[in-house]
Each structure stands twice: as C-alpha cells, then as structure tokens.
Amino acid sequence: MNKEAACRIYASAWNGLLPEVLVDALDEEVRYSSQWVLSDLNGKAEVADYLRAKMETIRASPEARVFAQLARTQKYPMYGLSPEPCVVIGQGTAEDLVATVLFTVSETKIIGIDICMIPPPHTTKRLGVFPAASMQ
C-alpha cells in the first residue's frame, strides 16, 4: 500500500461514515495517535472500536459532519518534513479545518495514523477531492 491509497481509504471511510472501509485496511498492530490526546490507541481491535463509536456519534449529530479531503503537505524544513500525501479534515463544513492526517504504511496495510495540528491543515495543498465510500 502507498500513502495515496491510505489517504483515499481513510477519507472514503470518514466521508461515508463507514468505519469498516478503514478497518479492513488496518494492520493488526496499527497505531492511532492524535496531538490532542496523551495516549495512543494500539492494535486493530482498539482502533476499530474507537472508529465505530466515533462515526456513530457523528452520524447522530449532522451538525458535526466530517469532510475528509485529499491534500499534500508542504515542505516543512524546521520539522524535517518533506511533502507527502495527507487528508485534511473539516468539521461542520469543508472549510472549518480541524486537522491534518498523516499515514505510515507497509506493503499491504496502514500501520500508523497521526491526527495532527502540525502541519496545520490550512497550510496544505488541498486537492478538492472528497472520496466517497459506498456500502457493498
């Protein structure tokens, strides 16, 4: 798997509020971290439970709708970051940007998901693509 594929899967799952789209792509030892939370979620079961509950909560609150857009980070020399594919999250509207999502991948699975405030979502190059997942 490459980072572009991970971005598309993640955004599709969030735009459709279909957690299994993402869960199916997670490695058994996946790590899910957020710069707003002190401890990481570790392992597919723990991350899957979190995603299912979070998406169900958002489904019940239409005003909290999530917009997951494909994007690319800029080069951030001060943080040692090169440009890479990412997802930018808007909540409420596509322009109410709240986070940048970065990925670590193996050949076949997503092994790390990082929800970030750095790099700031408004500094990314947003591509205007909001992948949609369908229930099949």
Side-chain angles (χ1 to χ4, degrees), residues 54-88:
K54 184 75 169 177
M55 289 186 193
E56 184 58 38
T57 298
I58 291 170
R59 190 177 289 111
S61 302
E63 67 279 358
R65 181 176 173 196
V66 170
F67 296 83
Q69 181 177 178
L70 301 182
R72 287 195 66 78
T73 63
Q74 294 182 35
K75 184 175 182 179
Y76 297 97
M78 70 172 40
Y79 302 114
L81 298 174
S82 298
E84 67 178 276
C86 64
V87 173
V88 172

Side-chain angles (χ1 to χ4, degrees), residues 13 19-21 23 28 43 48 53 57 61 70 73 77-78 85-86 97 107-108 119 122 128:
E20 299 314 313
V21 170
V23 169
E28 289 299 324
T57 298
S61 302
L70 301 182
T73 63
M78 70 172 40
C86 64
L97 305 179
E107 288 184 25
T108 58
H122 67 275

